[in-house]
Amino acid sequence: MSTPVIESAHGGLRRRVALRLAMMLITLFGVTLLTFAMTRALPAPERDLAGDLAGVAAPPLVDANASLFAQYAAWVGRTIRFDFGASWASKRRVSDVLGDAVPRSLQIMIPGIALCYLIGVPLGVVLAWRRRRRGARVTVAALFALYSVPGFFMATLMIVFLTNPDHVDWFPASGLSSDDAPVFGGWGWMLGTKAGLGFLGDRLWHLVLPVTCVVYGGVAYLAEQTRTKMEACLAEDWVHTARAIGVSERRIVFRHALRNAAIPLVVLLGIALPMAFSGSVFLERVFSIEGVGWTLVQAVTQRDVPVVMAIATLVTALTLIGFFLADLLRVAVDPRVELS
Amino acid sequence: MPRASQSIQRLALWVMTGVVGLAALAPILAGGRPLYESGAGAPFTDDAETFRDAFAVEWADSNIPTRAHIDTNLATILPCLRPADRAEIRRLRATLDAPDADAHAAATIAAIADRLDTARPLDIARSPVLAATSFVDGWWIGAFLGWVVASVVGRRRPSARWTLAVAARTGVPAALLRNGAASVGAGIACAIVVAGLGSAGAPLDVAISDDAAVRVHLPIPFDANALDLEARLSAPGSVGVDGRRHWLGTDESGHDVASRLVWGARRSLVIGGASVAVLLLIALVVGTLAGYARGADVVLSRIIEIVDAFPPLVLVLTVVALVGAGPVVLIAVIAGTGWTKPALLTRGEVARIRRAPFVEAARTMGMPLHRILFVHVLPNAAGPAIVHGVFAMATAILIEAGLSFLGLGAANAVSWGQVMLTGAETVSAWWLTVFPGAILFATILSLHVLAARLRSEQAAWEVA
C-alpha cells in the first residue's frame, strides 16, 4: 500500500512511476519467493500418476538436483510462460483447464462489477444528497444489513426458494446454459440469428441469480462508501461558498462534490481486477458454474496441487497489478496526489 | 436518528449475548442425555453384556487391540457414572495393564461387567451445580460470566479514575474504556478469547436406558452428532426417536439441526475470537514499530505489501489443501492474512502521536524505548485497530462458515457452515438453509453494528 504524499517530491512523474515500479518489483520478488517456497514444500505426485499424464510434458514442479537459485529461476521462467505443468486430477495442462474456466468467471464478474458501480455510486450520491429524508435513512440501514448477508447464504436461499418447484421455479438452478441450448457460434451469430438470440436470452436467464448475488453486496458497499465520502464533501466550507455565490444545488452535488468523492471509488477498481479473474468461489459452487472459483475448490478437494498453485500465483500477480493500476488511476484522477 | 440506531445497537448486543450464551451453555441446552431421570433400572446392561461376552472372548484371541477397544468403550460410559463406580472401574481397568494381566483377564473383565450391571448413572437432578460443572467446561461458563459482567459494567459509566487505572495496567486505550459500549466491546473480545483458550468441548453422546419412569430432557433433546435414522429430513417441530422433538428439523443423515446450531456456535466463536486476538497482537506490535521507527518502516511496509498481495480466501484454500482445516491452522491463516489492515491503522496513529508533547517529554526524561512505546504511545494509538478487530471477527466467522460450506472444514466438526452445506445439497429442506443462515447473518450483522458504533464513538471522542 502506498501513502499519498501531498507535498511535492523531487523529480517528475516519470521518475516517480519508475520508483513505484521498483518498489513493486521488490514486492513481486518477495511474493514470488514465498509462492516458490510453498510450491517447493509440496509433496510430489506419485510416480505412476506423473508418468500417466496423457501427452503432456510434465517436468517435476522443481528439479531437486539443481541449485536453489536455478530452481527459482526455472520456476519463474515457466510461470511467466503460463506453464504450470499438468493437473494431477484431470491430466490436462493447467493452462488449458484455466482457459476453460476464466471466461465463465468473467461472464459473471464483469456484468456484476459493472452493475455494482452503475447502481451503487448513484444510489450513494442520492442518499447523501437527500440524507434528511426518512426514506434515505431507512435505505442506509437496509444497505447496512444487506452488506452483512453472507453471499453463500443469499445464493442458497435463491436456490431453495426461486429454483425449486416446491416454491417457485422462475430461474435455472445451475450452469450457464440449458441442456438444449445451441453451442456459441460467434458474436455475429449471437446477435444476428434467431438461434443466436435464443442462446443470448438463455444465457442471460442463467446469469440473473449469480449476478444478483455479486451485485447486492457490492452495491451495499459502494453506496455506503459513496454516501460517506459525499457527506464529508458536502460538509466542507467550499460548498457553503458555492451555495453563497449561487451555484445550483444539483451542480454542487454532481459536478463538484461527486468529483471529489469519486476518487476512492475509482481506486477500488484496482481490487476488482483479481476479483474478476478468480470469480466467486461460493457462487460458482452453489450455482455449479465451472469457473475459476469452482476449479479452485475442486482442486483443493482433490489435492490437485499444480492447479491450486497456478490459481494462487495468478491471483496474487493480478492483485499486485491491481494495486499498481489503482495507484496510477489515483494520480490520473486526483491532481493533488503524487506517487510515493 | 440517534434513538433508532441506539435500539438497534442494543439489539445487536443482545444477539451477541445470545450467541455467546448458546456457546457457553451448550451442554445444558442441547444433548442426548436427559436432565433428570428417575426409576431407572439397570442403565448399563448393554455395556455390561459387551464386557462380559465380547471382550473376554476378544482378549483370549488377541491381546493388543483389546485394551484400546475397552478404553474407547469406557470413555463414553465413565463420565455418566457416579464417582465411586467410576473409580472402582478405573482401578479394575488398571489391573489389566499389569505384567501378569492375561492370567486374570477373564476375571477382571467379568468384574467390570458386574460393576456396570449395578452402577447407577450420575443423577444430575440431585445437585444442579455439581452436575453443571461435570458437564460444562468451566472455561465457557467463565467466558459467559465475563461477557455479562462486561455488559453490566459497560452500562454504568465507570469513573475516570477506575478507567485510567485499568488503562494504565492493561494497555487498553482509556478512550475506549471511558464509554459504556466500548467496554462491552472489549468485554466481548476478552470473554471469547478466554473461551478460545479453553477446550472447544466435544458433545457427549450417551445411550440412555429404556426403563425410566420419569424422564426430563434438555430443551434440545438431541446430541449434535447423534443420528436419528428414523427421522431423516424431518421438518421443524416433528417428533423423533422416543417422542423427543426436533425443534428445527433434521438433515439427511438424521442430525438434529437445533443441536448442531447450538454446538456450532462454539466453533464460530473460538475461531473468530482466537484469530482476532492473534491478529491484533501482530498488528499492534508491527504497527507500533513501523510508525515509530522510520528504518523499521521501510522493511515492515514491504512485508505488509507482500502479505497484502495474497488474497485471503485463495490463501486459506491453498493452505487447507496442503495441511487440512484444523482449528489451529484456520486461526493461523486468518490471523496471518488479516493483520495488515490494523497494522497500517496503528502505524498511522503512532506516526501521528510520536511527535506529541507527552511522548517528547517521556523521551526527554530518559524513559526506556519499550516503556515509551507500549505504555505511552500504543494505548493512545490502538483504538482504530481494536475497532477493526471487531470487523475482523465477523470476517473470521464468515471464513470458517464458508470453508465448512465448501465441504473443506475439519472432518466431523460441528459448524453452521456444514449445516448450510447439507441445505444446499437438499434444496427441498428449506430449514437446513434458513436457520443456520439466519443465525450466521444475525451474528455478522451484530458484530458490524457494534463495530460501527465503536468507531463512531471513537471519532466523537477524538473530535472532543
Side-chain angles (χ1 to χ4, degrees):
Chain A
M1 301 293 290
S2 69
T3 10
V5 180
I6 303 296
E7 63 266 22
S8 178
H10 299 288
L13 182 67
R14 187 171 303 171
R15 195 190 121 114
R16 268 175 258 127
V17 171
L19 243 172
R20 185 76 192 79
L21 262 177
M23 279 302 186
M24 200 180 95
L25 278 181
I26 298 178
T27 310
L28 193 65
F29 178 70
V31 168
T32 51
L33 212 58
L34 268 181
T35 320
F36 168 69
M38 274 165 73
T39 315
R40 201 166 171 277
L42 296 175
E46 290 97 61
R47 190 156 292 282
D48 54 337
L49 191 67
D52 199 31
L53 300 171
V56 181
L61 284 172
V62 283
D63 176 10
N65 297 323
S67 75
L68 211 57
F69 177 76
Q71 287 180 27
Y72 173 70
W75 178 80
V76 170
R78 292 180 50 209
T79 305
I80 287 173
R81 280 177 279 127
F82 293 107
D83 175 9
F84 297 101
S87 156
W88 292 354
S90 68
K91 316 272 167 70
R92 295 169 64 209
R93 270 196 193 85
V94 175
S95 45
D96 292 346
V97 174
L98 289 181
D100 289 345
V102 170
R104 296 190 190 121
S105 287
L106 290 183
Q107 282 179 58
I108 301 170
M109 296 309 283
I110 289 180
I113 293 172
L115 280 175
C116 283
Y117 273 86
L118 288 178
I119 302 173
V121 174
L123 185 60
V125 171
V126 170
L127 288 177
W129 190 20
R130 299 281 190 228
R131 64 185 171 282
R132 287 184 213 295
R133 300 232 176 136
R134 194 186 183 82
R137 299 204 305 237
V138 172
T139 313
V140 168
L143 286 175
F144 191 90
L146 201 59
Y147 176 67
S148 305
V149 180
F152 57 93
F153 178 41
M154 182 66 98
T156 319
L157 276 184
M158 286 176 172
I159 290 278
V160 169
F161 290 106
L162 295 181
T163 71
N164 181 354
D166 295 352
H167 305 278
V168 275
D169 56 344
W170 294 342
F171 297 101
S174 66
L176 279 176
S177 42
S178 309
D179 291 338
D180 51 353
V183 183
F184 182 68
W187 291 97
W189 168 83
M190 186 173 79
L191 297 172
T193 65
K194 199 167 176 203
L197 285 174
F199 169 84
L200 182 63
D202 180 64
R203 177 58 53 95
L204 290 177
W205 185 48
H206 278 79
L207 283 177
V208 171
L209 291 186
V211 169
T212 310
C213 280
V214 176
V215 167
Y216 82 88
V219 163
Y221 180 72
L222 281 176
E224 177 61 20
Q225 293 286 318
T226 314
R227 186 186 68 86
T228 327
K229 298 283 176 332
M230 282 294 289
E231 282 189 2
C233 284
L234 288 176
E236 290 204 27
D237 289 340
W238 55 262
V239 173
H240 291 288
T241 314
R243 269 194 206 119
I245 61 175
V247 181
S248 75
E249 193 67 27
R250 197 174 293 264
R251 197 176 158 85
I252 292 176
V253 169
F254 289 101
R255 187 71 183 273
H256 299 291
L258 182 58
R259 266 193 78 171
N260 277 295
I263 294 163
L265 303 177
V266 174
V267 171
L268 276 176
L269 268 174
I271 305 171
L273 188 68
M275 255 173 64
F277 169 79
S278 65
S280 166
V281 172
F282 297 109
L283 297 186
E284 292 179 5
R285 184 72 169 180
V286 175
F287 293 108
S288 308
I289 295 164
E290 303 184 4
V292 178
W294 187 89
T295 311
L296 177 61
V297 175
Q298 203 69 7
V300 169
T301 320
Q302 297 168 339
R303 303 224 158 197
D304 191 349
V305 174
V307 175
V308 176
M309 287 316 296
I311 293 177
T313 311
L314 287 176
V315 175
T316 310
L318 283 175
T319 310
L320 277 178
I321 295 172
F323 282 169
F324 183 64
L325 287 182
D327 277 358
L328 287 186
L329 273 178
R330 181 161 34 198
V331 177
V333 178
D334 188 349
R336 293 166 304 184
V337 175
E338 291 168 359
L339 289 165
S340 63
Chain B
M1 179 94 175
R3 180 165 297 169
S5 60
Q6 259 177 20
S7 59
I8 290 174
Q9 285 151 8
R10 209 165 296 150
L11 186 67
L13 203 56
W14 275 112
V15 170
M16 279 316 288
T17 309
V19 173
V20 177
L22 285 186
L25 307 175
I28 51 176
L29 284 178
R33 205 187 143 193
L35 185 67
Y36 175 79
E37 221 176 24
S38 75
F44 301 105
T45 331
D46 288 351
D47 299 292
E49 207 83 346
T50 311
F51 270 88
R52 192 163 286 127
D53 305 337
F55 286 137
V57 174
E58 209 177 305
W59 194 284
D61 286 351
S62 64
N63 196 348
I64 306 303
T66 310
R67 282 199 184 88
H69 285 182
I70 290 177
D71 285 340
T72 356
N73 203 292
L74 284 180
T76 55
I77 306 170
L78 283 181
C80 313
L81 299 182
R82 290 178 189 188
D85 292 325
R86 208 185 299 167
E88 175 61 14
I89 289 179
R90 284 229 175 88
R91 195 190 60 78
L92 289 169
R93 164 67 188 86
T95 61
L96 285 176
D97 288 333
D100 56 343
D102 280 355
H104 318 289
T108 314
I109 287 174
I112 294 180
D114 289 344
R115 191 78 199 188
L116 276 176
D117 237 352
T118 54
R120 290 289 171 274
L122 194 68
D123 190 354
I124 91 162
R126 287 270 164 75
S127 164
V129 178
L130 253 182
T133 46
S134 75
F135 255 130
V136 185
D137 24 341
W139 283 107
W140 278 100
I141 288 288
F144 187 58
L145 289 181
W147 170 284
V148 173
V149 166
S151 310
V152 173
V153 169
R155 280 289 173 78
R156 258 191 270 133
R157 298 201 158 258
S159 71
R161 223 170 128 198
W162 179 89
T163 311
L164 290 176
V166 173
R169 275 165 187 74
T170 59
V172 178
L176 274 181
L177 282 175
R178 202 160 287 169
N179 59 61
S183 323
V184 175
I188 296 172
C190 296
I192 289 166
V193 169
V194 168
L197 292 176
S199 75
L204 195 65
D205 190 13
V206 179
I208 54 173
S209 59
D210 296 331
D211 47 0
V214 179
R215 180 179 296 140
V216 180
H217 280 291
L218 297 181
I220 296 165
F222 284 95
D223 189 89
N225 283 325
L227 303 176
D228 190 349
L229 295 175
E230 300 297 311
R232 276 179 288 192
L233 281 182
S234 52
S238 55
V239 177
V241 63
D242 59 47
R244 292 181 275 166
R245 272 188 196 279
H246 295 288
W247 296 113
L248 299 183
T250 58
D251 68 8
E252 58 183 351
S253 343
H255 292 119
D256 184 69
V257 172
S259 186
R260 279 179 104 68
L261 293 191
V262 169
W263 285 95
R266 286 200 163 188
R267 190 173 162 85
S268 286
L269 291 182
V270 165
I271 288 178
S275 54
V276 167
V278 178
L279 168 163
L280 279 182
L281 194 72
I282 305 173
L284 290 177
V285 171
V286 171
T288 310
L289 291 180
Y292 198 80
R294 284 267 158 247
D297 187 31
V298 177
V299 179
L300 292 175
S301 291
R302 257 350 76 197
I303 293 179
I304 289 177
E305 201 167 271
I306 290 173
V307 175
D308 261 346
F310 288 100
L313 194 64
V314 175
L315 190 70
V316 169
L317 287 175
T318 311
V319 172
V320 166
L322 302 181
V323 245
V328 176
V329 175
L330 270 187
I331 291 166
V333 186
I334 295 173
T337 51
W339 61 271
T340 53
K341 182 83 191 295
L344 285 171
L345 289 171
T346 315
R347 166 176 166 254
E349 286 290 295
V350 170
R352 198 170 58 82
I353 290 171
R354 62 194 270 266
R355 291 283 165 222
F358 71 94
V359 180
E360 297 278 11
R363 253 198 302 268
T364 320
M365 285 162 67
M367 238 175 221
L369 182 63
H370 64 87
R371 202 173 152 78
I372 298 178
L373 282 185
F374 294 106
V375 176
H376 292 273
V377 174
L378 186 57
N380 287 290
I386 290 177
V387 172
H388 180 85
V390 182
F391 279 116
M393 182 163 166
T395 313
I397 289 178
L398 261 185
I399 290 180
E400 189 280 320
L403 270 186
S404 304
F405 179 77
L406 293 173
L408 300 171
N412 301 327
V414 178
S415 156
W416 294 339
Q418 187 274 336
V419 183
M420 295 179 75
L421 169 63
T422 61
E425 282 167 351
T426 323
V427 290
S428 53
W430 57 267
W431 55 90
L432 295 177
T433 298
V434 170
F435 295 127
I439 196 174
L440 180 65
F441 168 58
T443 309
I444 304 288
L445 181 60
S446 303
L447 285 171
H448 282 172
V449 168
L450 291 175
R453 163 78 189 261
L454 278 182
R455 194 171 51 188
S456 67
E457 292 218 3
Q458 211 166 53
W461 195 83
E462 258 159 34
V463 169

